[in-house]
Amino acid sequence: MRNILLGILFVLAGNTLSAQQTDCKLIKGNDEFSNAPKLSTGFANLQNVQLNIDANGKEFDLFFIINNPAANCIGEESEALFVFEGGKQKMEIRNTGGDNCNGFFHIIMRGGQFTPANLTKLATKKVVTISFSDRNDKKTIISLRPEEQDLLMKMADCIAKEAKTLGK
């Protein structure tokens, strides 16, 4: 009897996981300049930061909007430090979006038919904190709640998988 109940739970858990894996809602459109196909996750709130991930046939653009007036002047020396669950693994990435005092922080990664290693990390490992430094080295640190950790992973995984279809 116990084995039957465990088997039923295993099947139900598998169905739930597969339903979650196929629940990938992206915004499809075209690039306003090149008219090439583009995918977008839409903006998600992660504490005091909003995140949107765009993908086209050539690159991924992680676009963060930092809502911290004291630390929102972003420059080429600005960095985002991602700390993964357990605290031992970290990933530091520079802003690639230019100077601004609007809190706009871009991480642009080359894509195409392969998924960049940094995006794969975001899609497969839970991020517990993200620390953004502005051009004056003021920091905005966000600690992600478990549901936000899952959301970030899902966004990265979803767009990474679907972006491979853009080049075809």
Side-chain angles (χ1 to χ4, degrees):
M1 180 71 170
R2 182 172 179 236
N3 288 342
I4 293 171
L5 288 175
L6 286 175
I8 291 171
L9 285 173
F10 182 74
V11 169
L12 289 174
N15 287 341
T16 303
L17 285 175
S18 66
Q20 288 174 345
Q21 289 171 349
T22 57
D23 186 28
C24 185
K25 296 176 183 161
L26 294 175
I27 302 163
K28 296 180 181 182
N30 291 325
D31 185 84
E32 56 268 9
F33 301 109
S34 68
N35 207 31
K38 175 175 113 171
L39 295 172
S40 177
T41 61
F43 279 98
N45 289 316
L46 305 172
Q47 305 296 316
N48 290 330
V49 174
Q50 293 178 300
L51 168 63
N52 177 64
I53 306 174
D54 285 338
N56 59 35
K58 297 179 183 173
E59 63 188 19
F60 295 91
D61 180 4
L62 285 75
F63 176 35
F64 294 90
I65 300 175
I66 302 164
N67 299 317
N68 180 356
N72 69 350
C73 284
I74 306 301
E76 61 184 39
E77 297 297 318
S78 297
E79 294 178 332
L81 175 66
F82 296 83
V83 177
F84 295 96
E85 192 172 49
K88 292 184 180 183
Q89 291 188 349
K90 298 176 182 179
M91 180 172 67
E92 196 168 49
I93 306 175
R94 282 194 174 182
N95 170 55
T96 54
D99 290 351
N100 70 84
C101 283
N102 301 315
F104 297 163
F105 192 106
H106 284 273
I107 299 173
I108 299 173
M109 303 176 197
R110 292 195 187 270
Q113 292 303 308
F114 69 93
T115 303
N118 288 338
L119 188 60
T120 299
K121 255 189 178 174
L122 292 174
T124 58
K125 299 184 184 312
K126 290 188 178 195
V127 175
V128 292
T129 62
I130 307 172
S131 175
F132 297 94
S133 64
D134 75 356
R135 64 180 175 216
N136 300 314
D137 209 30
K138 291 181 184 170
K139 303 232 184 287
T140 299
I141 301 170
I142 59 169
S143 297
L144 301 180
R145 295 185 296 259
E147 62 271 13
E148 293 167 329
Q149 295 170 8
D150 292 339
L151 176 61
L152 177 56
M153 284 178 65
K154 182 179 177 182
M155 289 172 70
D157 183 55
C158 185
I159 201 141
K161 287 179 179 170
E162 294 295 320
K164 293 179 181 177
T165 65
L166 290 174
K168 296 179 181 179

